[in-house]
Amino acid sequence: MKKNKKSENLKNTYVELDVTDMTPDGNGVGRTAAGVVVFVPGALTGDRVRAKLIKSTVGYCVGRLEALLSPSPERVESDCPHSVKCGGCVFSELRPEAEARFKQKLVNDALRRIGGLALECEDIETGARTHYRNKAVYPVAEDEAGALCTGFFARRSHRIVRQDSCLLEDPAFPAVREAITELLTARRMRAYDETSGRGLLRHIFLRSAQNGDICAVLVVTSGDKSAFDGFADELTARCPAVKSVWLNINAARTNVILGKTCILLKGEERLTDTLCGRVFGISPLSFYQVNPKMAERLYAQAAAYASPAPGDVLLDLYCGAGTIGLCAAGAGVRLFGTEIVPEAVENARENALLNGRTEDDTRFFCGDAAEGIEACKAAFGRVDTIFVDPPRKGLSPGVIAALTGSGAERVVYISCNPATLARDLALLEKEGYRAVRCRAFDLFPRTGHVETVVLMSRVKD
């Protein structure tokens, strides 16, 4: 038997391509005349481009955009001066309407190709494209003069692209970020260096509430507070909107941003925000949606899909600070939430009290999602509706087994990853549930991310 010939190495050759599709990470997709798939960062569907192939493998090539021969009708000029270098907004040159269509297609393609489902995303809801983020994490470096500076990582690297401001962040953040770097530079503080493992300050993490209050967190390699004596007073005097200043300790040689320990230097232990008419206190380690205006629309849809009636038991898996469950649970609905982060569980319990709920109708459990299903049954006797809002990796086999054995009539699945969503929906359909409604929400305009809400109903015997 003859061995297959190795594919021709096309590296360093030039090709002209018609871009026919895109990937969520901002790569245009085209094919050479010989049918070889080429991914070109920065190219959009409808472009005709000239690209230099900088990577050649058996299955595909990667090209660098050398010339835009004919622009897509969906292409616009970016309003961000950093868009070429920064790895954040991969779709800043795509018309908003085209971005919405692309994301809806992304969800539908995953449902069909990965899940093998007949379900289609009914619509995608969009909102403001600028200044929508209530949270930002900035890596810290030192400039040529040794002063601390911040920015964002370039695409597929840990090289910082310096920026004074970002079109996505809360407009109040740049002044706070500048104050922090100037005050700490004056203290001769050193930025953390990933290569050597030396330095103290790794990241600046800011989070804001809709009333303008800000929580500032410095991610550092040491829990010794002496280097920050008086710093919190200096910062809050210069930036009165900052209501709390924290240290987060992360001494590990890792790409993970936050450590597990937080130390309050000054101010309130919780940042208080309002969502869907409910009041929430959020600690630095608690998950909270970064786009509050669109999150309200997302949660309203999830609540409409769930439609809990008085007397029902609503189980919120991966509940974080309790936001989804507390927004959806009306009078007479019993709520049980499960979360693995202890600080978030404590937040959720406090948030239940803030919103007039008691232990008679609301419980929160710290543990694995699968354990939470049994804990809910032990507390309230049954499960009627389940919210799941897992991380990008989706549901584990153990959680799926526990979920399908729960007896719940409805499952409302909220996902930030269409691929794992489709995979999990297919698994749930094999175990007695049917996906019946689907809607997408663009909580992250200009990026490749999209949120999806799906209603599943248990199939009657």
Side-chain angles (χ1 to χ4, degrees):
M1 181 182 293
K2 291 184 179 180
K3 293 183 179 180
N4 292 330
K5 288 185 178 181
K6 290 184 178 180
S7 295
E8 181 183 1
N9 188 344
L10 300 176
K11 186 175 180 179
N12 294 326
T13 61
Y14 290 82
V15 295
E16 291 187 5
L17 302 167
D18 289 316
V19 180
T20 56
D21 204 350
M22 297 180 297
T23 66
D25 55 356
N27 292 327
V29 185
R31 289 181 180 271
T32 68
V36 178
V37 174
V38 181
F39 297 98
V40 184
L44 305 176
T45 300
D47 283 341
R48 181 166 178 79
V49 303
R50 186 169 187 260
K52 180 180 180 180
L53 303 185
I54 57 175
K55 180 178 180 180
S56 179
T57 73
V58 172
Y60 67 92
C61 292
V62 177
R64 183 174 63 224
L65 181 59
E66 295 288 321
L68 187 60
L69 303 178
S70 176
S72 167
E74 306 296 355
R75 180 179 283 277
V76 295
E77 184 177 352
S78 175
D79 51 359
C80 175
H82 309 288
S83 61
V84 175
K85 296 180 180 179
C86 178
C89 299
V90 296
F91 294 131
S92 63
E93 295 181 301
L94 185 64
R95 291 185 186 278
E97 301 83 3
E99 181 182 340
R101 290 195 301 271
F102 168 74
K103 290 181 176 180
Q104 186 172 356
K105 177 178 179 294
L106 192 68
V107 174
N108 282 330
D109 285 351
L111 294 174
R112 184 179 68 257
R113 296 176 182 175
I114 298 174
L117 303 168
L119 178 72
E120 285 198 354
C121 178
E122 298 166 6
D123 196 5
I124 180 168
E125 295 196 23
T126 61
R129 291 176 57 78
T130 60
H131 303 303
Y132 59 81
R133 287 190 66 97
N134 62 12
K135 173 186 173 183
V137 180
Y138 310 96
V140 181
E142 296 175 17
D143 65 15
E144 299 79 5
L148 296 173
C149 60
T150 60
F152 295 102
F153 290 131
R155 281 175 61 98
R156 302 186 182 279
S157 82
H158 274 207
R159 177 175 55 82
I160 295 176
V161 178
R162 291 184 57 184
Q163 297 184 23
D164 295 326
S165 63
C166 170
L167 286 172
L168 304 191
E169 68 187 352
D170 185 316
F173 284 176
V176 178
R177 184 166 35 135
E178 180 182 5
I180 292 172
T181 55
E182 288 184 359
L183 290 170
L184 295 182
T185 295
R187 291 169 175 252
R188 299 183 182 279
M189 187 164 293
R190 302 302 304 273
Y192 175 74
D193 180 82
E194 288 186 341
T195 303
S196 67
R198 297 174 182 170
L200 182 59
L201 183 61
R202 302 177 73 133
H203 291 83
I204 296 170
F205 164 25
L206 302 179
R207 176 180 271 163
S208 63
Q210 295 192 70
N211 66 359
D213 290 350
I214 295 174
C215 166
V217 182
L218 308 182
V219 184
V220 294
T221 57
S222 170
D224 182 0
K225 298 189 296 181
S226 60
F228 297 93
D229 287 345
F231 165 76
D233 290 331
E234 294 172 350
L235 177 61
T236 53
R238 184 164 164 176
C239 302
V242 176
K243 302 303 181 183
S244 61
V245 183
W246 295 78
L247 297 181
N248 174 267
I249 316 305
N250 184 359
R253 299 286 291 268
T254 175
N255 289 334
V256 176
I257 293 173
L258 294 177
K260 295 182 179 180
T261 301
C262 290
I263 300 173
L264 180 63
L265 295 181
K266 181 180 180 180
E268 304 165 2
E269 291 193 354
R270 304 286 184 266
L271 183 70
T272 302
D273 201 11
T274 303
L275 204 65
C276 297
R278 308 290 201 270
V279 180
F280 295 98
I282 311 109
S283 69
L285 295 181
S286 294
F287 171 79
Y288 194 68
Q289 289 284 3
V290 302
N291 186 337
K293 297 299 184 185
M294 287 300 296
E296 289 185 322
R297 293 161 67 177
L298 173 76
Y299 289 174
Q301 183 64 73
Y305 279 170
S307 300
D312 282 356
V313 176
L314 183 61
L315 172 58
D316 184 3
L317 298 182
Y318 311 93
C319 70
T323 48
I324 300 174
L326 289 170
C327 286
V333 175
R334 290 172 289 176
L335 172 64
F336 193 96
T338 299
E339 172 60 52
I340 203 166
V341 179
E343 293 84 358
V345 173
E346 187 59 32
N347 282 178
R349 289 170 178 156
E350 294 170 355
N351 290 334
L353 296 175
L354 284 174
N355 290 284
R357 301 187 69 88
T358 70
E359 194 172 341
D360 292 337
D361 60 23
T362 305
R363 308 276 181 86
F364 289 98
F365 170 79
C366 185
D368 177 77
E371 298 172 336
I373 293 174
E374 293 306 313
C376 179
K377 289 183 177 181
F380 292 135
R382 68 178 194 275
V383 180
D384 295 308
T385 300
I386 299 178
F387 283 131
V388 291
D389 187 7
R392 289 188 62 79
K393 64 182 179 181
L395 303 177
S396 70
V399 173
I400 287 180
L403 192 155
T404 54
S406 69
E409 291 295 322
R410 293 172 299 279
V411 175
V412 179
Y413 195 138
I414 301 171
S415 173
C416 60
N417 186 339
T420 55
L421 168 68
R423 177 202 68 195
D424 291 347
L425 294 181
L427 293 172
L428 290 167
E429 286 214 340
K430 289 181 180 179
E431 299 298 329
Y433 286 86
R434 182 169 62 90
V436 292
R437 300 286 301 276
C438 175
R439 199 173 185 91
F441 293 79
D442 191 3
L443 268 69
F444 312 98
R446 300 170 178 254
T447 78
H449 301 293
V450 61
E451 293 272 338
T452 311
V453 186
V454 174
L455 169 63
M456 302 197 82
S457 295
R458 189 158 65 92
V459 178
K460 306 296 184 183
D461 293 332

